[in-house]
Amino acid sequence: MTSRRGFLKAGGLALFGIGVGGFPTFLARAAESDKIISPYKKKKILVCIFQRGAMDGLMAVTPFTDNYLRAARPNLFISAAKAGKGTPLIDLDGRFGLHPAMSAFEPMFREKRLAIVHGIGSPNKTRSHFDAQDYMESGTPFNKGTSSGWLNRAVGLMGHDGATPFQAVSLTSSMPRSFYGDNPAVAISNLQDFAIQMRGNPKGANMAARSFEDLYDQTSSDLLKQTGKESFDAIKMLQKADVKRYKPANDVVYPSSALGNSLKQIAQLIKMDVGVEVAFAESGGWDTHFNQGAETGIFARNVNDLSSSIMAFWNDMEAYQDDITVMTMTEFGRTVRQNGTGGTDHGRASCNFILGNDVNGGLVHGNIQPLSVENLEDGRDLAVTTDFRSVFSEVADKHLKLSNDKVLFPDWDGSKIGVMRS
Amino acid sequence: MKTGFKFYATLALAVICFITLPSFFSGKNAKPRFKFPYKQAGLTERQAAAHLLNRFTYGATPGQIDEVVKMGLEKWFQQQLDGKLPDDSLNGRLAGYDALNLTNKQVLDTYPRPPIILRMAIKDGYIDKDSVNKQTDKKMYRDKLEAYMNKMGFKPERDLYRQFISQKILRAAYSNNQLHEVLTDFWFNHFNVAFVKNDCAQFIPAYERDVIRPNVTGKFETLLLATAKSPAMLMYLDNFSSTKSNDPKPGKSRKTYAAAKNTAQPGADIMMSDMEAMQQADAKNQPQKPRQGLNENYAREVMELHTMGVDGGYTQNDVTQAARVLTGWTVYPLSDVGYTNARKKALEKLGEERMEKQGYVHDGDFLFAANRHDNGEKVVLGKKFPANGGYEEGVTLLSMLAHHPSTAKFISRKIAVRFVNDNPPQSLIDKMAQTFSTQDGDIAKVLITMVTSPEFWSKDALREKTKSPFELAMSAVRTLHADIQEPYQLYSWINKMGQRMYYYQAPTGFPDRGQYWINTGSLLSRMNFGLALASQRVPGVKVDLAALNNHREPESTEQALLVYSKLIMPERNLDETVKHLTPLLNTPDLGQKVAKAASKANANNTMTMTGNKDDVLASMNDEKPAKKASVNTNKNNNQMLAQVVGIIVGSPEFQRR
C-alpha cells in the first residue's frame, strides 16, 4: 500500500498544501482504507440539472403534426413550416420540433449525442410543485418518508470509501433534496467564497479556522458537526485553486445566468481533479402560468439559457466528454390547453434531455399519443408514459455502472427504454 | 319597552365584558391567566427566560434575561403578544426613510418601473425611440433618462427596496415588540410573495406593513382574507388575471394579452409589464373582449400552502372549482402614471354607485370585477356554491378553508416547527389544533397553548432550532449591542449566508429547518460573518466590545473567552466550547502576534488560511516579544478580543437557538 506521503505526491495533492487541521480527514480515511479511489483517476461523471417550476415539455419539444395541440394552443403553438411568419420549430424527425430558441442543441441531436425522452413523468399524480420535486428527488414517488435523495444513494453505491468531499457537489445555495442522505455531499454557491477570510490577517484567519474546525468537530449537533467537517475538508482541497481567473477551453463563453455560472464552476471543479462524480445544478422560472410567449418571451428565454448553458459546459469539457453525461429533469409538465392568461397550468408529463457520448441520441424516445381529449390524463394533460425512474436508472446503470435499482429506486421494477447505448 | 330591553341587555353585556375581559386577558397590571411549566422540565427561571427569548425574539440583548425574570415570564409573554410597547428609539432610526409609509398608489407614482419611465420619456419626446436598443451612447441615454426622472420627480425603484429591507433589519434589531416582528416574518414567509415577480414587487412594502403586520396575532381568517385581497398576492399568484372562461372555439384565435403585448409598441417586450399588457389588451379590444379564462395558480396554493396543506384532502377538481369561485378577484387599477389607463377610466366612468349595483366590490386597492366572475354553480370540497354568488362566495370559500380541520393541523404544525423544533411532537400539534378549532383560529391563543405545553420546554426543544441567516445576523447584532448605521450592509451578509430575503421565488417561502440552512458553503459564510462583525469589518455596523463588559479589560485571552462566551450566550453550558478554544487561543501574547502578523500582511488581499497548525504556532513562538508592546497593548487587546468574539459568533453553539 502506498504510504501517505507517496500517495500525496502521486496524487499531486501536495499542491493543495495541508490545511490547518493537519491531514485532511478524507485522505486519512483513504489512506487507511484498502479501497483507495484516488482523486486523479479518471471517473465517470453525471451532471444533473433540475428545472424547477415544471417545464412545458410540449413547447420545448413540440409534436407539431398534432392538430389537437395546435387547436388547444392558439397563441402558444409554433409551426415547423418555414413559410410562416416568425421563426419555425427545428424539425427533428418529421414529427417533433425543437423550440427555435434551443438551436444550440440541434447539432448534438444530429450527431446522435443528445437524446430526448417525451412523456416522462411521475406515476404519482400530484400537481404540487413541492411534492412532485420531492418525489422525483427522493426517487420514491409514493413515499414521503424517504429521507435520502436518489443521487446520494447513487454515491453510496459507488462504494468509494475515502472518496473526496467533492464526490457529490451541488452548485446551489442550499443542499438539494437529491443529495440528502448519509453519504457526504457538498453545496457551494460560489467557489470564491470558500475559505475562512480575515482581510490582511492570514495568521488570524488560520487561528480562527483551527478554532472553528475544532469547535465544529465536538458539537453535539450532528448536522453542524458533519457539515463542518465537510466544509473544512473541502477548503483544504480548494485553497490553492485560482478560481477567479478561470479560462474555459475553446474560448467558450458561459451565459451569465445562474445556471451558466453553476455549470462553469462544475467545469472548474472537474478540471481540478478533485474527484467529482455527481454534480447538480438548478434552473428556475419554468412555472409559466402567465404569458409564457412563443418564439420569443419568457419560455424562449428560459430554454435558450438552458441549452446555451449546457452547450457552453459541453464545449468547455471537450477533453472530458467521454466521461460526462448531462441529464435534465423537471417535476411535471403543463396543461395541453393554454390557460386564460397566455400561459399553462400544472400538468403531468414533460420531456427531458440527455447529452453524452454514450447516449442513444438523435431520437425522441417515449410514447406520445395524439393529444385528443380521450388520450389525455384527466382529460387535460399529456399522459405520463415513461416513468422517470426508468430513465434515471438506465443513465445511472450505463454511465455510472450502478445497477442496483433496489437501492436507487426501491419500489420500482419497470423496464428501461434504451436511452443509453448498450 | 323593546328598546328599553335592548338597552339594558347591552349594558349588562358591556358590564360583564368589563368585568371579565381584563381578568381573562391582560389588563395593564393583571397577571396573565396562564403559567409556563418550565420547572417541571427541570429548568431554572433564568434558563426558561433564555429559552423564551431565543424563540420569541431575534435574540436576547445584554441584560434582557434579568429583565424578563424580574417582570415574570408569563407577563413578559403577554406583553409581547399585545405588542404595544413604545418604540421611540426604533422610530428615530426609521425616521430617515421616506418611502416606508407610502400607499401602493404613491409607490407606483413615485417609483415607476423602468419600462414605464422609458415609455413616458419616449412619449414626452425626451428620448428617441430608436435610440433605446442602440449600444452606442449609453451614457447620454442614461443621462437623459435621469434628467427626465428628476423633472418628473420619479425615484429609482431600487431605493424603495433598499429602504424596505433596511426597515426590516432595523425593526428586528431594535423593536421592543419583538414577538410581533418574529411573527411578521413568520406569516410573511407563510404567505410568501417575492421581488422576483416584477408586477408584484412594488406592492410588497405595503403588503408587509398593512396586510401582514397588523394581523399577526389575530384571527387566521382575517389574515387569510387580507392576503387574498392584497395586490401583492393577487399579482404574485396570478389571480388578478383569472376570469371566467369564454370557452373559445379551438383554433379560432382572438386577440390575447400576449398578442397585445407583442404588438403594442416596438420593443414592447421589455417595455410593458404583464399587468399593463393585460390592461392594454382590455382597452384595445373593446368592445370585443379579449379571450379570457381561468388561472388555477392561486386557488391551488391557497389550499396547498396557505390553509389545508398538500395532504389536506382536496382534489384537482376542487382546485379548478375554487379557481372559478375566485374569478374576478383582482387589483383596482391604481396608477395614473404612464399610459392612459383605460380600465381605470372605464371604472370611474361607471361610478362607484353603479359598480356596487352591478356587484362590483371596490375595497381599497382590491377590486372584485363582477364582469369577469364566473357566475355558474360550483362545488368545492363538497360544498355547493349556488349560481350568482358574486364576491361573497369567495369570502365564504376562504372562511371555509380557514376553518377546515386540515388547516387547524397544518397551521399548528407550522407554528410549532417555527417555535419548538423541526419535528414537533404530534401531541403538541393536536393540542394547538384543538385550540385553533375551538377558538376560531385565534393565533394568540394557539401560541399560548404551545408555550403552556410541556413539549415547548422539553429537552427536545431547547437549542434544537438552527438559526436562519437572518436570525443569526440579528442575534449577533443584538447580543453585541451593535449600532447599525447602514442596515443594507447586513443584508449582503445575510444573502451570502444563503437567505436572500424577499427574493424567495417559490410560494412555499423559505423552508424552516436546519438542514436547509446548514450546508458546506453557507456554514463557512456564517463563520466569516462572525469574524467580520466582531472586527468591525461590516461597514456601517459598529460594535463596542469593551463596553459590553463595562470597559473592564480581560486580563488574558482565556478570561476574555470565559467572559464573552457568557455575555454572548447566557444560560448555556459552554464548558465544551471553552475547553476546546482555550489551548488554541491561550498562546502567550497572542494578541500581539496576531496584530503583528496583520500589519505585515498586504491589507488589500483577502487572505485565506495556509500552512498547517504547526507552522502557525511555530512562527508565532519564534517571534520575540515586541518592544513596542506597551504602546500597542490596547490595539492588540482589541484585536485579540475581536478574534475571540468572532469565533464565538461563528461557533456551532451560537448557530442554535
Side-chain angles (χ1 to χ4, degrees), chain B residues 377-396:
Chain B
E377 180 188 292
K378 304 112 187 161
V379 178
V380 186
L381 299 166
K383 182 184 162 59
K384 196 157 128 185
F385 291 81
N388 301 314
Y391 164 73
E392 284 304 327
E393 71 180 15
V395 178
T396 308

Side-chain angles (χ1 to χ4, degrees), chain A residues 18-20 71 74-75 127-131 144 173-175 180 185-187 193-212 214-216 218-221 223-224 227-228 230-232 235 239 285 287 289-291 297 301 337-341 345-346 380, chain B residues 238 240-241 250-251 253 256-258 261 269 274 291-297 300 304-305 310-311 316 496 508 513-516 518-521 523-524 527-528 531 537 576-577 580-581 584 590 594 597-598 601-603 605-611 613 616 619 643 647 650-652 655-656:
Chain A
I18 304 299
V20 277
N75 304 98
R127 288 179 180 84
S128 150
H129 290 298
F130 319 106
D131 270 8
K144 265 196 184 174
S173 61
S174 62
M175 191 69 79
Y180 283 16
V186 166
D193 291 340
F194 215 69
I196 291 296
Q197 297 169 334
M198 285 183 79
R199 199 183 310 150
N201 187 353
K203 296 268 200 267
N206 238 313
M207 180 65 63
R210 248 177 68 61
S211 307
F212 283 136
D214 225 43
L215 283 176
Y216 277 85
Q218 56 82 29
T219 183
S220 63
S221 153
L223 175 65
L224 290 168
T227 312
E230 284 162 15
S231 299
F232 285 100
I235 285 187
Q239 57 183 271
D287 196 16
H289 285 279
F290 189 90
N291 271 0
R301 281 196 291 275
R337 182 177 293 277
Q338 69 183 60
N339 68 10
T341 56
D345 290 324
H346 299 182
R380 52 180 259 162
Chain B
D238 300 319
F240 80 97
S241 68
S253 165
T256 65
Y257 309 139
K261 188 165 171 168
D269 205 19
D274 290 341
R291 212 180 50 79
Q292 299 171 330
L294 212 54
N295 188 311
E296 290 177 357
N297 203 9
R300 178 187 307 281
E304 176 181 332
L305 300 174
V310 69
D311 300 319
Q316 170 59 42
K496 217 185 212 178
T508 45
R513 54 170 195 272
Q515 206 170 19
Y516 176 78
I518 299 298
N519 58 66
T520 334
L523 196 56
L524 283 173
M527 300 177 205
N528 284 324
L531 295 171
R537 281 185 291 113
E576 281 292 299
T577 303
H580 279 261
L581 282 180
L584 288 173
L590 171 78
V594 168
N602 176 0
N605 211 355
T606 299
M607 296 299 292
T608 61
M609 49 182 205
T610 52
K613 77 172 181 191
V616 179
S619 74
Q643 177 110 4
I647 290 169
S651 73
Q655 310 312 306
R656 307 162 75 175

